[in-house]
């Protein structure tokens, strides 16, 4: 049985093959990327059966997305939209220490998601629903799909995981804040960076816990992470690495956390796995390619991963 279901837009991803601006790039490598599918791949590699649903264009890029995700063992529900193209993002490395991403997704097939796209029983039969703050900012119908999915999960007693994952290019803070807060208040687990959680409320953790959220997980990048619950706060240090590409690290963190959470690990061990998965994702170019398997994770923790001591 599929344990985790998720949905959202996955796009074609073209990234430069050398350091420098896109203005002068001589080569691009083609792949795919999307927050929800990144998490789905990460979970699947860690042994958690996962399904992803999304709309793609009736074009070669849409076919590539479907093929790549199926190749990772996911249960893929790709809805082919003949009236819209697959979205595209371009990634560049202006310097050795920076990454910039440019999105071309307005009117894309992925933004056309709607409640009717989510099959009956698909959410209700899962152990967990994972959504992000990207999808509800894509369009009115996509927002309706997220709200409907969350309501269906809550009615069926299925836990909801929500990663704020705020994208300023999609909506200004004053518009995005209320939308994302409404979803976060209905979730079981909420993930976000410090600034993302501040977007929801000045005292986001306290606010969300008071409204019934079970865990608020604060992602702090190289500084590790913290989990706020009604019982208190648990923190874990990050890992010492030499990052190559940090895009997708937050998704890998979430995948690591959810996999451990579903296994019933205690919060401290769950954070260690999440931090390790996030760190490993930074070691290879791409949004999801470095998502670890169980064996990869064990090797990293046994020999290559040293927690930061602060």
């Amino acid at each position: 049985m599929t344990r985790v279901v998720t949905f959202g837009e996955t796009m074609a991803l073209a990234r430069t093959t050398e350091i420098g601006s896109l203005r002068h790039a001589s080569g691009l490598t083609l792949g795919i990327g999307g927050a929800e599918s990144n998490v789905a791949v990460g979970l699947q590699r860690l042994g958690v059966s996962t399904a992803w649903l999304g709309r793609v264009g009736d074009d070669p890029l849409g076919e590539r997305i479907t093929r790549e995700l199926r190749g990772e063992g996911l249960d893929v529900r790709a809805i082919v939209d003949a009236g819209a193209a697959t979205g595209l993002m371009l990634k560049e490395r202006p310097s050795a220490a920076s990454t910039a991403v440019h999105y071309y997704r307005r009117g894309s097939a992925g933004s056309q998601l709607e409640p009717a796209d989510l099959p009956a029983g698909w959410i209700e039969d899962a152990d967990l629903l994972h959504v992000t703050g990207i999808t509800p900012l894509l369009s009115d119908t996509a927002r309706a799909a997220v709200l409907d999915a969350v309501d269906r999960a809550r009615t069926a007693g299925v836990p909801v995981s929500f990663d704020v994952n705020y994208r300023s290019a999609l909506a200004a803070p004053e518009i995005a804040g209320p939308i994302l807060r409404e979803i976060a208040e209905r979730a079981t687990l909420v993930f976000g960076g410090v600034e993302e959680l501040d977007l929801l409320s000045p005292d986001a953790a306290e606010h969300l816990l008071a409204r019934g959220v079970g865990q608020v997980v604060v992602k702090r990048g190289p500084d590790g992470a913290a989990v706020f619950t009604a019982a208190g706060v648990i923190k874990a240090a990050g890992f010492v690495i030499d990052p190559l590409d940090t895009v997708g690290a937050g998704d890998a963190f979430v995948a690591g956390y959810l996999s451990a959470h579903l296994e019933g690990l205690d919060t401290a061990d769950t954070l260690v796995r999440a931090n390790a998965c996030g760190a490993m994702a930074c070691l290879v170019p791409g949004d999801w390619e470095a998502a670890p398997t169980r064996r990869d994770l064990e090797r990293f923790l046994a020999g290559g991963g040293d927690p930061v001591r602060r």
Side-chain angles (χ1 to χ4, degrees):
M1 183 182 74
T2 298
R3 300 204 63 191
V4 176
V5 296
T6 187
F7 62 95
E9 180 173 33
T10 295
M11 295 175 286
L13 165 61
R15 64 176 182 268
T16 56
T17 55
E18 68 272 355
I19 296 172
S21 170
L22 273 167
R23 298 183 189 93
H24 309 293
S26 59
L28 295 170
T29 298
L30 185 62
I32 68 169
E36 298 85 2
S37 59
N38 293 348
V39 171
V41 169
L43 283 166
Q44 190 74 33
R45 288 187 179 180
L46 291 170
V48 180
S49 177
T50 306
W52 171 86
L53 181 148
R55 281 179 173 262
V56 298
D58 186 12
D59 49 43
L61 297 179
E63 293 175 4
R64 186 184 185 107
I65 288 168
T66 302
R67 186 190 71 239
E68 291 274 11
L69 295 181
R70 284 185 175 147
E72 288 294 321
L74 298 178
D75 174 8
V76 175
R77 310 289 183 98
I79 301 165
V80 179
D81 189 333
T86 301
L88 172 68
M89 53 181 164
L90 298 178
K91 184 191 295 186
E92 62 178 339
R93 294 187 65 199
S95 69
S98 64
T99 301
V101 183
H102 308 275
Y103 297 95
Y104 300 85
R105 68 196 317 175
R106 187 181 298 276
S108 65
S111 70
Q112 308 302 312
L113 273 168
E114 59 185 12
D117 291 335
L118 308 178
W122 187 66
I123 293 167
E124 291 80 358
D125 292 339
D127 288 337
L128 184 138
L129 166 69
H130 176 69
V131 294
T132 79
I134 297 174
T135 305
L137 300 182
L138 292 176
S139 66
D140 290 342
T141 60
R143 178 162 63 254
V146 172
L147 292 172
D148 182 66
V150 171
D151 285 345
R152 284 172 53 182
R154 285 165 57 91
T155 299
V158 175
V160 176
S161 163
F162 174 60
D163 188 357
V164 178
N165 226 327
Y166 172 57
R167 295 289 187 269
S168 59
L170 294 175
E174 60 271 19
I175 295 174
I179 294 171
L180 302 181
R181 182 168 59 249
E182 179 183 9
I183 300 168
E185 290 176 349
R186 302 185 191 186
T188 312
L189 302 94
V190 174
F191 298 87
V194 174
E195 293 182 357
E196 290 176 328
L197 293 172
D198 285 344
L199 180 68
L200 306 182
S201 171
D203 300 304
E206 181 179 344
H207 172 87
L208 294 173
L209 292 175
R211 280 157 177 75
V213 175
Q215 299 182 17
V216 180
V217 186
V218 184
K219 297 183 282 186
R220 295 172 172 163
D223 293 327
V227 179
F228 291 78
T229 69
V233 184
I234 295 178
K235 300 179 181 180
F239 286 82
V240 178
I241 61 167
D242 184 12
L244 181 62
D245 183 354
T246 59
V247 177
D251 301 326
F253 174 96
V254 171
Y257 193 96
L258 292 178
S259 71
H261 177 75
L262 289 168
E263 288 175 32
L265 271 62
D266 63 34
T267 305
D269 288 339
T270 297
L271 277 177
V272 170
R273 179 184 293 184
N275 283 333
C277 289
M280 294 177 74
C282 298
L283 301 176
V284 174
D287 276 27
W288 53 270
E289 285 81 351
T293 63
R294 287 297 185 95
R295 181 176 295 181
D296 296 333
L297 184 61
E298 290 169 0
R299 288 174 177 169
F300 179 81
L301 292 172
D306 296 321
V308 177
R309 302 303 179 188
R310 299 186 186 276

